Amino acid sequence: MFHNLQELRHSASLANKVFIQRDYSEGTTCKFQTKFPSELESRIERTLFEDTVKTLNNYYAEAEKIGGQSYLEGCLACATAYLIFLCMETRYEKVLKKIAKYIQEQNEKIYAPRGLLITDPIERGMRVIEISIYEDRGSSGSSSGSSSVSGSTAR
Amino acid sequence: MKNCEYQQIDPQALPTPTPTPPPHHGKDTEKKKEPRRPRRKWEVFPGKNRFYCDGRIIVARQSGVLPLTLGLILVTSGLFFIFDCPFLVKHLTSCIPVIGGVLFVFVLITLLQTSFTDPGILPRATPDEAADIEKQIDNTGNTSYRPPPRTKEVLINQQVVKLKYCFTCKMFRPPRTSHCSLCDNCVERFDHHCPWVGNCVGKRNYRFFYTFIVSLSFLTAFIFGCVTTHLALRAQGGKGLVFALQESPGSAVELVICFFSVWSILGLSGFHTYLVASNLTTNEDIKGSWSGKSGEDVTNPYSQKNIFINCCSVLCVPMPPSLIDRRGFLPTDESAQTGSADIELPTLAAKSEINVCTQGTKGLLESAALSPLLSTSCPQGKPQNAHSCPETSPALNSDPTSEFSKGCRGNHTSSSHGDTSHPRHTKARSKKCKREALHIPNPAFDVPVSPTSPDAAPDSKAGSHKGGSLTPLH
């Protein structure tokens, strides 16, 4: 068990990565699949994972929402030859900041203690949510894949 | 040598970004160099784009005929203000130069925004992602030849849509995304590559493009009308058209330019208005993706069946962010540690970076001697891939005649996603590796190195461990 994010970084080795793909059933809006990957079964509860992904999906839906306000913003932007994009932070950017904070918080509270780490999708071109699975280096004989060289003692 | 690959690096010996690489990779020369300035991600961007103003401005590699477009607009408008406006102000109204001025400014601004904005480029898949996708598709492990084109079917609004696999970017393209061979990038909601603006038109700059052509058609029609009125007024009283033209020779030039361009620009505006109202892209329209040519009952799954809503969802949707983070910094520890795995090479636009070619070569050759298997496992994106990609974008008017480089004003788009706060190691390293793969004339770098190593995003220790160990492949 890891107690915090720093400990995770310094005392664990990366075992595997899981990629949560996009869900295109509703079009090209940003939405991720909530299917629970099998690699995480032993690491985290299904409900926690689904909550995280659903919250992220809600954030992205909020960012891309088309309504009266976005219509007004679009007209105003057009009238100024879109120069306001140079001055103002767009709504999407504001929501992305919220998402970054949320992911940081989730990592600290929920995922790092379980040896997992979520990478913000914006760093992967919004294609995937990358979840890194770490193995404690001290643990011996764990069934992690490629790289845990957990010391010579276990051998 | 082989033992060193599995050597575990003691975490205490490796604080955060100081380059203390494994000793066997001959990085002593690197240590002797003075500390390199932090590099930005645009400097290692794998596509064929050029960057100006330290990554703020992005253009396609071939600017097409953008200078011609600008020249025509400036010349015509200039002649209009010089030759026609004084006469018309005197004889008609002073609103004319005002309207003309507003339209001219509008056209110019939207043109520059279309040309210099990231159209919605999708960053290429990281090696881990690519490996994960490969695993899902094909478990036979046969890498001796390129497998047949891969597709994936998804259901969008009860409509079956095929997603194609992009061999250059190593990912399944999202719906409506297409790979532009001129820019060598996958672009979201790809419309077409426009040589007149010297850039692709995609999700992020379509609204600029549409505003540009609409305002340009207004401007052209306005100038045409004013010039005609001007010449008609001058020719009054039996003086004749020739006399009028002699008095105002500039008007003759304007007349010719406007006459020939107004029809095509009006036509283009009308066509794109139709596309916007039905939420189609030029790409889809040309290919007939949703017109049911194959006899099946296909409809456009993205259309909301309402013209107003369609227009809103194309033009008024909140501006999406740029996904390529041009101005983000590459982590310095990664740049330094992976001298053998990632070779920095000068990119197309003359970037003044001193790369680690020389010291990297030695390490590269050492590692190349170790693992010849890497040559098959490393998914390199060589320039030829752009052509061998099964789906080449229909570069509509693609007529790359000349290469001009143009850097005008800065266009700050939303590219700052927190330069330092996020772990971007993986992305940076994979991009670097692919970058060097794309622009390698030097036979010394023919042996590809494993890009599968950089995965430990927050764990620099593991990252360097993998950087040193080339054999344990994923």
Side-chain angles (χ1 to χ4, degrees):
Chain A
M1 288 289 276
F2 308 100
H3 299 293
N4 58 23
L5 220 46
Q6 280 74 27
E7 207 177 293
L8 183 70
R9 285 178 187 150
H10 289 298
S11 63
S13 71
L14 186 66
N16 201 359
K17 283 189 183 183
V18 181
F19 296 98
I20 314 296
Q21 301 287 338
R22 284 271 292 269
D23 175 9
Y24 293 118
S25 58
E26 288 173 19
T28 49
T29 51
C30 187
K31 195 173 171 218
F32 291 95
Q33 294 177 356
T34 48
K35 188 170 78 87
F36 189 61
S38 52
E39 293 92 337
L40 296 180
E41 251 160 41
S42 56
R43 306 297 295 246
I44 190 169
E45 294 82 357
R46 179 186 288 257
T47 47
L48 283 174
F49 169 80
E50 284 179 1
D51 274 343
T52 309
V53 180
K54 280 188 185 146
T55 313
L56 284 176
N57 285 342
N58 287 338
Y59 272 122
Y60 287 119
E62 178 198 330
E64 298 182 6
K65 196 166 64 115
I66 306 175
Q69 194 198 355
S70 69
Y71 173 63
L72 281 174
E73 282 172 1
C75 287
L76 177 69
C78 181
T80 62
Y82 301 108
L83 287 173
I84 60 169
F85 287 146
L86 301 176
C87 322
M88 264 176 39
E89 198 186 36
T90 67
R91 181 167 19 136
Y92 217 116
E93 285 169 322
K94 290 189 186 127
V95 176
L96 284 177
K97 285 194 175 151
K98 279 202 268 183
I99 291 176
K101 234 176 72 170
Y102 173 74
I103 289 183
Q104 166 87 355
E105 192 190 296
Q106 289 279 295
N107 272 335
E108 278 169 9
K109 292 194 187 140
I110 300 180
Y111 287 83
R114 291 168 173 75
L116 303 171
L117 203 67
I118 302 182
T119 306
D120 196 334
I122 193 74
E123 302 189 20
R124 297 289 176 265
M126 308 276 260
R127 287 186 305 265
V128 287
I129 303 178
E130 182 181 300
I131 303 183
S132 313
I133 303 177
Y134 287 88
E135 290 293 341
D136 191 7
R137 229 174 241 113
S139 70
S140 56
S142 49
S143 59
S144 63
S146 35
S147 69
S148 66
V149 184
S150 52
S152 47
T153 55
R155 314 254 167 173
Chain B
M1 277 282 200
K2 286 196 166 89
N3 289 335
C4 293
E5 292 162 8
Y6 297 94
Q7 180 183 8
Q8 175 133 345
I9 297 171
D10 185 14
Q12 273 71 37
L14 204 67
T16 42
T18 48
T20 53
H24 66 284
H25 273 229
K27 291 186 184 157
D28 294 332
T29 47
E30 197 178 314
K31 282 189 210 165
K32 286 176 199 157
K33 266 187 173 311
E34 67 271 7
R36 295 156 57 195
R37 65 164 180 83
R39 295 157 54 87
R40 295 200 190 254
K41 291 184 186 170
W42 62 264
E43 301 180 48
V44 296
F45 186 69
K48 291 182 194 171
N49 289 92
R50 292 187 183 178
F51 298 89
Y52 297 103
C53 295
D54 199 21
R56 291 186 180 87
I57 297 179
I58 175 173
V59 292
R61 177 178 173 191
Q62 297 158 326
S63 335
V65 293
L66 173 64
L68 177 66
T69 312
L70 271 171
L72 280 174
I73 294 172
L74 288 171
V75 162
T76 314
S77 308
L79 289 174
F80 171 72
F81 288 120
I82 295 171
F83 285 96
D84 298 288
C85 280
F87 184 87
L88 289 169
V89 163
K90 205 163 56 168
H91 288 80
L92 279 182
T93 165
S94 55
C95 283
I96 290 184
V98 173
I99 299 174
V102 166
L103 281 174
F104 170 68
V105 166
F106 226 79
V107 164
L108 215 53
I109 292 177
T110 47
L111 169 62
L112 293 175
Q113 284 181 327
T114 312
S115 300
F116 297 149
T117 306
D118 168 17
I121 295 174
L122 274 179
R124 299 190 181 182
T126 56
D128 296 311
E129 273 180 71
D132 189 65
I133 294 176
E134 298 268 341
K135 250 193 321 195
Q136 287 171 22
I137 297 169
D138 189 341
N139 291 325
T140 61
N142 190 351
T143 54
S144 59
Y145 66 96
R146 196 149 63 77
R150 306 155 170 176
T151 58
K152 189 162 84 168
E153 291 195 349
V154 294
L155 208 61
I156 301 180
N157 290 330
Q158 281 81 50
Q159 177 80 47
V160 172
V161 175
K162 269 201 180 138
L163 302 185
K164 289 193 179 163
Y165 183 78
C166 181
F167 285 98
T168 313
C169 304
K170 303 279 179 305
M171 61 179 176
F172 279 101
R173 288 189 207 119
R176 309 191 101 174
T177 302
S178 194
H179 191 96
C180 175
S181 49
L182 289 170
C183 304
D184 202 24
N185 292 312
C186 269
V187 177
E188 282 191 292
R189 204 186 182 278
F190 180 77
D191 196 84
H192 65 284
H193 183 101
C194 184
W196 295 97
V197 302
N199 200 3
C200 286
V201 177
K203 182 161 97 169
R204 295 187 76 244
N205 64 353
Y206 187 75
R207 66 192 74 193
F208 305 143
F209 176 74
Y210 182 71
T211 314
F212 165 63
I213 56 175
V214 168
S215 50
L216 184 63
S217 47
F218 278 125
L219 178 69
T220 320
F222 180 73
I223 292 182
F224 190 61
C226 287
V227 169
T228 315
T229 311
H230 174 206
L231 291 175
L233 286 175
R234 270 195 198 267
Q236 266 178 350
K239 293 181 190 155
L241 185 61
V242 177
F243 171 75
L245 284 173
Q246 279 172 343
E247 287 219 318
S248 179
S251 304
V253 177
E254 292 171 58
L255 206 59
V256 167
I257 295 176
C258 288
F259 180 76
F260 285 112
S261 47
V262 72
W263 312 114
S264 44
I265 295 173
L266 273 175
L268 195 62
S269 304
F271 174 61
H272 276 279
T273 307
Y274 157 71
L275 289 181
V276 165
S278 34
N279 202 334
L280 276 175
T281 64
T282 307
N283 200 5
E284 287 166 354
D285 190 70
I286 299 268
K287 284 198 211 159
S289 316
W290 314 121
S291 62
K293 277 183 192 166
S294 51
E296 301 158 8
D297 185 22
V298 290
T299 53
N300 184 0
Y302 312 106
S303 168
Q304 314 283 338
K305 317 286 188 236
N306 178 323
I307 291 181
F308 183 68
I309 299 180
N310 279 342
C311 291
C312 272
S313 42
V314 176
L315 300 174
C316 296
V317 71
M319 185 72 175
S322 174
L323 297 174
I324 54 178
D325 188 34
R326 304 184 293 276
R327 287 176 46 80
F329 284 102
L330 293 170
T332 48
D333 57 342
E334 290 266 338
S335 325
Q337 282 169 1
T338 58
S340 69
D342 296 336
I343 316 295
E344 306 299 340
L345 286 178
T347 54
L348 288 170
K351 307 199 172 74
S352 57
E353 182 66 17
I354 298 172
N355 58 64
V356 297
C357 281
T358 47
Q359 63 261 28
T361 311
K362 185 179 167 205
L364 175 56
L365 291 174
E366 284 172 356
S367 57
L370 290 173
S371 39
L373 292 172
L374 289 174
S375 60
T376 53
S377 65
C378 183
Q380 294 295 347
K382 295 200 173 53
Q384 291 82 3
N385 275 3
H387 304 294
S388 56
C389 192
E391 154 123 350
T392 51
S393 73
L396 245 203
N397 307 317
S398 79
D399 184 22
T401 49
S402 52
E403 288 202 13
F404 297 99
S405 66
K406 202 143 179 74
C408 289
R409 61 185 192 87
N411 183 5
H412 174 65
T413 55
S414 56
S415 59
S416 53
H417 290 298
D419 290 337
T420 53
S421 55
H422 300 289
R424 297 178 195 271
H425 303 221
T426 316
K427 184 176 171 185
R429 285 174 65 167
S430 66
K431 274 189 180 163
K432 275 191 278 188
C433 189
K434 289 195 164 64
R435 184 98 196 96
E436 58 98 352
L438 279 174
H439 302 280
I440 300 176
N442 190 338
F445 303 118
D446 265 352
V447 179
V449 290
S450 165
T452 61
S453 40
D455 9 289
D459 188 346
S460 58
K461 167 182 173 321
S464 64
H465 167 69
K466 287 199 160 68
S469 67
L470 295 163
T471 315
L473 304 172
H474 290 87

